[in-house]
Amino acid sequence: MAIPKKKFTLPFFTLLLVNLWSNQMVIMAMESIPIGVVLDLNSTVGEMAESCMSMAVSDFYALNVDFKTRLALFTRDSSSDVVAATSSVLDLMKKQVHAIIGPQKSSQAKFVIELGGKAEVPIVSFSATSPTLSATQSKYFVRTVQDDSSQVKAIASIVQAYGWREIVLIYEDTEYGNGLVPLLLEAFQEIDTRVPYGSRIPLYFNDTQIMRELSKLKAMQKSIFLVHMSASLGSRLFLLAKDAGMMSEGYAWLVTAGLSTLLDPLGSEVMDSMRGVLGIKPHVPTSKKLESFKSRWRKNFTISKPQSKINELNLFGLWAYDTVWAIAMAVEKAGIVHSRYVKPNTSEGTVDIAALGKSETGPRLLSSILSTRFQGLSGDFHLAGGERVPSAFEILNLIGKAERVIGYWTPERGLSRNLYTNGKIASSTSKNRLKEPIWPGDTTQQPKRLRIGVPLKTGFNEFIEVEWNPEDDKPIVSGFTRDVFVSVVEALPFPLPYEFIPFVNKNKQSAGTYNDLLDQIKLKNFDAAVGDITIIANRSTYVDFTLPFSESGITMVVLTKRDERENMWIFLKPLSLELWLTTGIAFILTGLVVWVLEHRENKVFRGKPAQQLGTTLWFSFSTLFFAHREKVVNNWTRFVLIIWIFVVLIISQSYTASLASILTVKRLQPTFVDVKEIRKNGYFVGHQKDSFVKDFLVKQLNFNDTMLREYSTPEEYHDALSRGTHNGGVAAIFAEIPYIKLFLAKYCSKFQMVGPTYKTDGFGFAFPLGSPLVPYISRAILNVTQDKDKMDEIERRNFGGETTCSDQAAMVPSGGLGLPSFGGLFIITGVASMSALLIYVTKFLYIHWPASNTMDQERSFYLRVLELAKHFDKEDPSAHHLNGAGSRVHAVPSVEIVGASPDIDDARSHSRTSSEGSGDIIGDQDHDNHTPRNSAANPEPPHTP
């Protein structure tokens, strides 16, 4: 049996040897392509990248055994030094490598890129992410990692989502750190986020110097920070920030991708100090290939380097792995089979950059690398413009040693909670698209909560009121101004966390005036102030106000007099004294004009002087109430009466309307209407306690400071005004219109807002000078105040169903109807009466002026006038009504007297004339009574003038 065993064993070993020989021949048939690698082998990234590159070569050629090329990696240690990195590159170029992977840092790559361009050797970097490095500097620079600038928009979206209007940059003073700052500033400017300060920390700073910088930021009361650092410096920063108390509630920290991708090797102590920090890093899609590689890498790395502190694979290792695969594919695709530099003749030991020559295969290899595309461990490997095409970013929340993904950002959709969703979703910067993070201090309350100071008032609490919860002793703020502020914050396009802090002392009493409250903003004890704070010029020198959200102006409120309806002489109120006197004079003058025009022609206006005066006045005043029974016979009298009755009609109707208004409408008459009167008489005036109105009364209205009194509540207003100027009260209280309206809503019937309104800008919210929130708050105030339904609901909730007094101007009595209102009417009736009188008198004088004979010339002017007056007192025999009256009376049979003398004839003639004249009036009266009467039945004695 032993012999057959030997027969079977020999062929087996023979087959094995043949197989090994054939494999060796395949390997020997592959062309070895030298590739240089420059890493900081003592760093986390360098140590991890070296192991990943080694595994990448093995994995690639194990999968592609038929490739004719094989990469040979020549690794050099740059020792984190720019000069050492440059020297390593020069050394590798002397070995005529086809490409160089590295160097690791942006500061090192800045000069190496120039060398690659001169030698036409592709410089392929998987870790130099500074935006200052680009293919525009040298086309032979290839970056297989995303540029830092690709994360700027994602960072800006996070800042905008949480409504941070201010953020402080903390960055390292290196090529890597400085390169991103200008792009961040530009992005923050686009979203109106201010960067008030930038903290630049050099690598050589020790812990004391870093702590000094952190203390400076803390003293500036800054609480939102963006950190752009490498892992070595960033880990020290967060440990010191925790010691400085800046990793507690109220602070927010955001780190860039450079630090977020290196969290695993930082250690538990550093990770614990970063609890609550938000980070951003490129998204790597999960795959079975990736999970398998992580498992194999962890096993190999632990065996090869058991002393290393690296426990998890990070993105830089994946990018290094994919970079090797990309170069291996490109070398095979370009068909590179040998390596040679074309250079001038130089000595072997010369280190001359100009003597390096140029790589023959460089251009071809570069073109092949740029066109390579495959699905790597880190995702889709796709280059554009010499750089990796950006993909999605993960938004991380660090909770102890764990990384919690709270959302994603993509250029197309902005922020989103889930990266892969069905359907098209619009781009968004809302924090609602993210999961709720845990902030420093283990709180879900968003940091940078505005500390808003509110005043403690003892009166007019409808505007702002502070109470304390008996259970937890926390303040409860309510009132009109608080509700307006809450509505304004809700109208903002971004979230604005805040908390109300009462401006009180240890005893929970008011800590000062409104000016003292605003000083706290200047002293940075408050971030804003909300309340019934009036916008005035001197306050705007140290705080910024928003647009006003209430009425503006200062005026005064006074006590009203008693109701006029209780006055027994109220019937005289409709007309002013001047109008009463003018009307009475007009009645008398009109009566006299009528008497003059009717005296010679109308029996009614004849008789004894007392009777004529009574008839005249009676006739004139009777026109006010009813049509007079006395007939007028002169046409001029009728003309005068037409005008006069029209005037009387208007006056009587106006009087009736005014009296009815006084008796039916309750009118409030103020005790004072003139500020000058109050000041001249030295009366006390009041104002609201702790208000700027006190300075206004002293400086603007020139009141003596000793004449001012302070009041806090509407009840105190009521008591002071009710007691008046002589009983320990005040003549008036000066306050802003909103307070007065609220006061009058309670005591409308007793007090009145009078006098001029002195301009102010109303109530506004106060912020620090230069605050970026002011324009946003102001625009939101416009939206809220223009929403009538919302404002009505806020007012109804705080002021209840109370309404202010009706228009105060309508309630101020006018003092009755004045003379100017009827001046035109009196002018018309006066002109009509005087015209008629002048024409009548002129005609009378023309007819009856004594003739200028010798006898008349001897008489004096007085006698002539007296004779003319006597003649005027006679009846006019030529009056048409007298002549026409004879037809209406019975004729008396005449008895001829024989031999009568002329005197008797004259007497008879005169008697007949008198009878006829008398009979006309009697005849008219009889005609009215339908009883004709013979005028001869009652003969009159002859009338002797």
Side-chain angles (χ1 to χ4, degrees), residues 21 33 82 104 109 176-178 235 296 373 387 415 427 482 533 568 645 669 683 719 728 731 807 862:
W21 177 81
I33 306 299
V82 175
Q104 184 176 315
Y176 165 74
N178 296 324
S235 59
R296 290 187 296 112
R373 184 170 185 177
E387 296 182 347
L415 299 176
S427 179
R482 178 262 181 197
I533 304 171
M568 63 183 295
I645 291 174
Q669 185 175 0
Y683 294 143
D719 181 64
D807 186 6
Y862 171 75

Side-chain angles (χ1 to χ4, degrees), residues 159-233:
V159 172
Q160 188 176 13
Y162 289 107
W164 294 330
R165 299 295 99 189
E166 284 189 349
I167 191 168
V168 174
L169 294 181
I170 304 177
Y171 57 99
E172 65 178 46
D173 189 12
T174 62
E175 185 75 23
Y176 165 74
N178 296 324
L180 190 62
V181 172
L183 298 176
L184 288 172
L185 294 177
E186 183 179 352
F188 291 150
Q189 185 177 6
E190 290 179 358
I191 61 174
D192 289 337
T193 295
R194 191 176 64 164
V195 182
Y197 183 75
S199 179
R200 186 171 56 186
I201 300 179
L203 293 176
Y204 61 80
F205 264 23
N206 56 34
D207 289 353
T208 303
Q209 291 172 308
I210 297 176
M211 179 62 80
R212 187 181 300 119
E213 186 68 17
L214 291 174
S215 300
K216 180 180 179 180
L217 295 175
K218 188 175 182 180
M220 295 169 62
Q221 296 187 347
K222 305 303 179 183
S223 58
I224 309 295
F225 305 100
L226 173 62
V227 180
H228 180 55
M229 289 180 173
S230 59
S232 57
L233 184 59

Side-chain angles (χ1 to χ4, degrees), residues 46 105 308 344 730:
K105 294 184 177 179
S308 178
V730 294

Side-chain angles (χ1 to χ4, degrees), residues 888-909:
R888 299 193 305 269
V889 296
H890 297 282
V892 179
S894 59
V895 180
E896 182 178 357
I897 302 176
V898 180
S901 66
D903 293 338
I904 296 175
D905 291 339
D906 291 339
R908 185 183 300 114
S909 175

Side-chain angles (χ1 to χ4, degrees), residues 803-816:
T803 57
T804 58
C805 292
S806 58
D807 186 6
Q808 295 293 331
M811 304 185 71
V812 178
S814 63

